[in-house]
Every structure is written in structure tokens, then in C-alpha cells.
Amino acid sequence: MFAVLESQVLAPNLHMLTLEAPDVARQAQAGQFVILRAEEDGERIPLSLADWDAAKGIITVVIVNVGKTTDRLTRLKAGQAVPTVAGPLGRPLKIEPVKAVCLVGGCYGVGSIYPLARAYRRQGSRVLIVLEGKSGFAFYWEEKLRSIADKIVYITRDGTRGARGHIDLLPRAIEASGELVERVIANGCNHLLSEVCTATQPLGLPTQVCLNTLMIDGTGMCGVCRVTVGGQMKFACVDGPYFDGHAVDWQELFQRRQSYLREEVQSLRSSAGMEECL
């Protein structure tokens, strides 16, 4: 069993869990993920690593509550435990030397860009962080991100923080920052990632995205997480989770991601005591 050390609400529908997982913490690298289970016979949930401390043997993940299992994970309290923390999984992100990198985060991606910013800062790159959200209340870990970012830019759809609009403002934000950005990396929902790629392609900016795919085992055996990148079939769990965003077949990914939407909604309502719904 893996002890829950901290459980905290970060923003509406976003939750942070800090777990005791020394083997994972010792081997974790920027860009990797773990798989959690809330109970012995429960569903396996892939979650990006948002932070870790090898000396203390702890890891941190940010969870968006979308179904029965994530709901149970967010209800855990310090002192309780989970039966499974498998990882670290996936390929670490290749931290290439660049003058400046732009890291885009939205929703749970605000947390998972932190290890990337830390890694780029350590190797000498300047770090521009662009945070996108529905409103100002969607942001968290701001002091933590400021400690390693050279600049942070906010974009909100309601205009309550930073520029008003959506991520199509990204090119303008990069230009206004004055940073010599050579690479863009985006973490968050698939819609955000797709829009980031649409915004950066005309600029010729290399763009990597952390794909949010359906996943079961996380070791490349089930094939559920397959995606098409550059006309070739890839598995997000072992070939990714980071891919060239301009080469991703986004239409296929969106269609596959909707496969179990009805079941996700049904299980979430069921876990809230609404068994009769749907």
C-alpha cells in the first residue's frame, strides 16, 4: 500500500495528491507518468507526475475529477492509502538545449509542466510559461511556478486574469514576452493541445504535446492508447506520452477519446449516488 501524505483541492474539480512511493520517486524524470488505482479491484488511471522528491520518497499528481475512479481518488485523506502506484512510465521528455522554451499549461497541465520547467531551467534555458483557463480561479501553484519561470503569461476566457481569449493568443503572447522561444511544449486536455498546435504551426515553432489517450496497462501490451503520428501508429504509453503535435492525427484521437464517454458520465453519476441516471 502507498500512503497518502497530502490531499488538497487546488481549484474547482482539480485535486492534488502527494503519495509515499520511494521507488517511483528515485527513478522519475521530467515528462513521465504513473498509474494509480483507488482500490484493489479498481480501474487503472494514468496521471502525469507533477512533482517528486527522491530524498523523501514522495510523488505528487494533479487529478481532474471526471469519473468514478478519479472521484474516489479525490476523496482520499492524509493517512489513507492506495494499493497501486505503478511507474515511472513513458519516455522522459528529451530536454534539448534551447535559448528559451514556452511551456503551455491548462487544467491539470498547469501542475505537470512544473517538472519540465525545472528541468529546462537547470540546463540553462529561459522559461516562458503560458497558463490558460476558463477564469482566474482555475490557476494554482503560481508561486511554485514563479520560482523557476522567467515569465508567466495568463490567458482567460472571461478576462479575469491576463489577456481575454483562448490559446489562439499564444503567438501574440510569445512575441510580447520578448523571449527567443525555440520550442513549445503543451500539457492539458486534448482540445487545448490541438489549438496550441494550430497556433504554432504557422510560426514554424516545434511543438510537443503530452497526449491524453485512453490507457489500460501502460506498458504497450493492450494497444488501447494507440495514436497516429506522422502516418505511423504509436503507443502513447511507451512511445510517448510526448509527440510532435504537428504530426498528430487529431481527428482520430478525438474520436477514440470519446469511445467511453457515456460510461464515464454514468459511473461519475453513480458514484455520486445517482444510480438511476442514464
Side-chain angles (χ1 to χ4, degrees):
M1 301 294 284
F2 299 84
V4 176
L5 303 179
E6 185 178 2
S7 179
Q8 178 186 350
V9 175
L10 297 174
N13 215 39
L14 287 169
H15 204 92
M16 181 192 79
L17 278 184
T18 298
L19 302 159
E20 191 174 43
D23 290 339
V24 177
R26 279 194 297 268
Q27 301 177 65
Q29 297 183 60
Q32 293 186 295
F33 66 96
V34 292
I35 285 182
L36 268 60
R37 283 193 303 170
E39 51 198 350
E40 284 289 354
D41 59 350
E43 179 186 14
R44 296 162 59 86
I45 298 291
L47 297 166
S48 296
L49 284 167
D51 199 3
W52 61 87
D53 188 317
K56 295 180 180 179
I58 61 175
I59 65 169
T60 298
V61 294
V62 175
I63 303 168
V64 57
N65 195 340
V66 294
K68 184 176 181 180
T69 300
T70 48
D71 184 64
R72 290 186 177 179
L73 287 170
T74 60
R75 293 175 186 271
L76 291 170
K77 306 296 182 184
Q80 295 182 292
V82 297
T84 300
V85 178
L89 300 168
R91 292 178 179 269
L93 180 67
K94 187 176 181 180
I95 307 297
E96 298 177 329
V98 294
K99 292 178 182 178
V101 62
C102 175
L103 303 177
V104 181
C107 192
Y108 59 86
V110 173
S112 59
I113 62 172
Y114 175 75
L116 312 184
R118 180 171 58 190
Y120 269 105
R121 189 65 179 268
R122 285 175 177 172
Q123 67 94 35
S125 297
R126 290 184 62 80
V127 177
L128 167 65
I129 289 179
V130 177
L131 301 181
E132 187 275 342
K134 181 178 181 180
S135 185
F137 61 70
F139 302 128
Y140 55 95
W141 279 17
E142 294 181 69
E143 290 185 15
K144 192 168 184 172
L145 291 171
R146 283 195 199 98
S147 69
I148 53 175
D150 292 284
K151 293 183 181 179
I152 298 181
V153 175
Y154 297 90
I155 299 174
T156 53
R157 275 160 270 172
D158 64 2
T160 54
R161 192 76 179 274
R164 181 173 185 171
H166 209 289
I167 205 63
D168 57 349
L169 298 178
L170 181 60
R172 189 188 309 174
I174 293 175
E175 182 180 4
S177 73
E179 298 291 345
L180 300 176
V181 171
E182 298 178 26
R183 181 173 300 277
V184 174
I185 303 171
N187 284 22
C189 70
N190 289 327
H191 177 69
L192 173 66
L193 305 185
S194 173
E195 291 299 309
V196 167
C197 294
T198 298
T200 59
Q201 194 156 22
L203 305 178
L205 269 177
T207 302
Q208 290 179 286
V209 293
C210 182
L211 292 187
N212 174 9
T213 63
L214 297 173
M215 193 177 295
I216 297 178
D217 71 286
T219 62
M221 297 183 67
C222 71
V224 172
C225 68
R226 64 185 181 274
V227 294
T228 300
V229 182
Q232 297 183 330
M233 185 178 69
K234 301 288 185 180
F235 297 120
C237 64
V238 291
D239 297 317
Y242 286 88
F243 295 97
D244 176 358
H246 297 151
V248 172
D249 185 333
W250 289 104
Q251 184 176 3
E252 178 190 67
L253 178 59
F254 289 141
Q255 289 175 342
R256 288 183 56 78
R257 193 64 183 85
Q258 297 295 313
S259 297
Y260 299 103
L261 182 60
R262 177 184 175 86
E263 287 79 4
E264 286 179 352
V265 173
Q266 194 168 16
S267 66
L268 180 59
R269 292 182 173 179
S270 175
S271 68
M274 299 170 64
E275 305 282 351
E276 73 283 358
C277 290
L278 299 179

